[in-house]
Amino acid sequence: MTRAVGLVFAADSFLFGSWVARIPFIKYQLGLNDAQLGLALFAMPIGSILMNPFTGRIIRAIGSANASLLGGILFFLSVLLPIHAGTLGVLTAGLFFMGIFTALLNVAMNTAVTNIEREQNIRIMSTCHGMWSLGGMFGSALAGLLIWANIPANYHMIGVAIFLVSSLLLLKDQLTSIPEIRQADGSSLAKPTPELLILIFIGITISVGEGLAFDWSAIYLREVSHATASVSALGFAFFAFAMTLGRFIGDSFIPHIGEKRLLLFGGILGALGLSLAVLIPAPSIVLLGFLLLGFGCSLGAPILYAASMRLPHTAPAAGLATYATFSFVGFMAGPPMVGFVAEAFGLSYGLVLVGLLLVLGSVVSRWARL
């Protein structure tokens, strides 16, 4: 069951990695400027915000495994709408539905990991998030190869959707064997406490950095660094490689270094990577910058997801759902914010803004309850 839930994480990110590599195609196909693209991308966090109050109820009703299956299948199929969009309105609607379904999948699969950790007394959260990064790396790398081979974007995403839905159905029996730990607390989200708000703020700064790499790395390489389309798709692959490596060693690395030190160092390292990309926008340096950003962001989610379940006066499941809700909103709201800044001042300034947020998050981590 641990391998199965790890593969769900990988499948989720594989779709993201495939999709973000095609965002430049969507932008040019519809003739969008940065602000219009940012507005369309903002539909995903809106969908997630509207969905998240219901995720806890759905998970309690059908279980985290079944919710992962349902959310995964709907999320994988929902990408077919924006990739075939002929207008900005259709693109926005498609991204809205993607936001709804990915919100359910995100909370459900993290809840499933927590249930496994409690039942088996093991630590696999960082490894599962490593699988998430691994999936994104392979998804974007494959997308770069298909772009180089001139495979149409719609054929690419149809193939990805069919592959991921089929794979998820094959994992059904293993997923449904995951133990369900029922919570007495019936609330979907936790009441805000200072400790939880600090974790959420740090998580938002890190997830904004992740969202930047997902949605804007290819465009930055293409438009600012003037890289080829296939090289531009490697921006996220470099980021995801670093995220993957950091997370796979995280479960053994975190206890020795300390969670606060890693959060502090990670934010600074991510900001350093973005600074390099802005100051020296050559393709090779920009790729190095996204690599450093990946290392800097890699352990934020595993540390903070686990910490959200150890807060005093907060039910573990409610703490997890609340943290996941707002951190994931940051992940999806960050790219539209970058789009608005890019339209007004230039894309480089969007990277500078995200770098400043990462530094601020690393400073605030000193007050985190970990």
Side-chain angles (χ1 to χ4, degrees):
M1 69 180 72
T2 56
R3 184 180 295 110
V5 75
L7 290 174
V8 174
F9 274 75
D12 176 43
S13 186
F14 189 93
L15 183 72
F16 266 116
S18 303
W19 158 250
V20 298
R22 293 295 188 172
I23 289 178
F25 163 81
I26 294 292
K27 181 184 179 185
Y28 303 141
Q29 182 79 7
L30 298 182
L32 305 178
N33 59 36
D34 288 339
Q36 289 173 318
L37 178 61
L39 182 63
L41 293 174
F42 196 65
M44 286 191 72
I46 291 176
S48 289
I49 290 171
L50 294 177
M51 180 62 181
N52 266 301
F54 303 99
T55 57
R57 299 176 186 176
I58 295 172
I59 291 169
R60 281 194 300 275
I62 65 176
S64 62
N66 287 326
S68 296
L69 286 167
L70 177 63
I73 291 172
L74 293 175
F75 177 51
F76 300 153
L77 293 176
S78 67
V79 76
L80 299 180
L81 183 57
I83 201 65
H84 289 95
T87 65
L88 178 59
V90 175
L91 173 64
T92 303
L95 291 171
F96 175 80
F97 284 110
M98 285 183 68
I100 288 177
F101 300 133
T102 193
L104 176 59
L105 176 59
N106 181 53
V107 176
M109 66 186 184
N110 277 285
T111 302
V113 170
T114 302
N115 290 340
I116 293 173
E117 288 186 325
R118 289 183 174 182
E119 178 71 16
Q120 300 187 7
N121 194 28
I122 58 177
R123 189 168 185 165
I124 61 170
M125 182 67 80
S126 183
T127 301
C128 285
H129 281 265
M131 291 294 293
W132 189 88
S133 300
L134 185 66
M137 181 178 66
F138 279 112
S140 61
L142 175 62
L145 179 62
L146 295 180
I147 291 171
W148 174 81
N150 293 318
I151 302 300
N154 59 332
Y155 291 174
H156 169 206
M157 296 311 300
I158 290 172
V160 167
I162 293 173
F163 169 71
L164 292 179
V165 169
S166 301
S167 300
L168 199 57
L169 291 175
L170 290 175
L171 295 172
K172 180 180 178 180
D173 291 341
Q174 295 180 58
L175 288 173
T176 52
S177 67
I178 294 175
E180 296 295 337
I181 300 177
R182 301 294 179 182
Q183 298 292 328
D185 186 357
S187 61
S188 296
L189 300 177
K191 294 181 180 179
T193 63
E195 296 87 355
L196 180 56
L197 289 174
I198 288 173
L199 296 184
I200 288 172
F201 178 79
I202 300 169
I204 287 175
T205 64
I206 294 172
S207 60
V208 167
E210 295 179 17
L212 169 72
F214 265 92
D215 286 1
W216 290 103
S217 58
I219 293 176
Y220 188 84
L221 279 158
R222 185 71 168 159
E223 297 186 354
V224 179
S225 299
H226 306 294
T228 64
S230 57
V231 170
S232 298
L234 293 178
F236 178 72
F238 272 64
F239 170 83
F241 170 78
M243 288 273 284
T244 302
L245 181 59
R247 287 174 170 178
F248 274 133
I249 65 176
D251 285 322
S252 59
F253 197 61
I254 291 172
H256 296 289
I257 303 299
E259 294 175 325
K260 286 191 177 182
R261 289 181 180 176
L262 288 170
L263 288 176
L264 174 64
F265 177 72
I268 294 173
L269 183 62
L272 174 62
L274 292 177
S275 299
L276 286 174
V278 170
L279 295 173
I280 312 174
S284 58
I285 301 300
V286 173
L287 290 175
L288 173 62
F290 282 114
L291 186 78
L292 294 178
L293 178 65
F295 279 121
C297 294
S298 61
L299 295 181
I303 290 172
L304 295 169
Y305 269 93
S308 69
M309 301 188 64
R310 302 194 301 260
L311 296 174
H313 314 299
T314 301
L320 172 65
T322 306
Y323 172 79
T325 295
F326 289 99
S327 67
F328 198 66
V329 167
F331 172 74
M332 292 190 293
M337 176 186 69
V338 171
F340 297 139
V341 173
E343 182 64 20
F345 305 104
L347 188 50
S348 296
Y349 284 91
L351 270 65
V352 170
L353 175 61
V354 174
L356 291 174
L357 287 174
L358 288 170
V359 171
L360 185 57
S362 70
V363 172
V364 172
S365 67
R366 64 177 297 183
W367 292 288
R369 188 183 182 98
L370 300 171

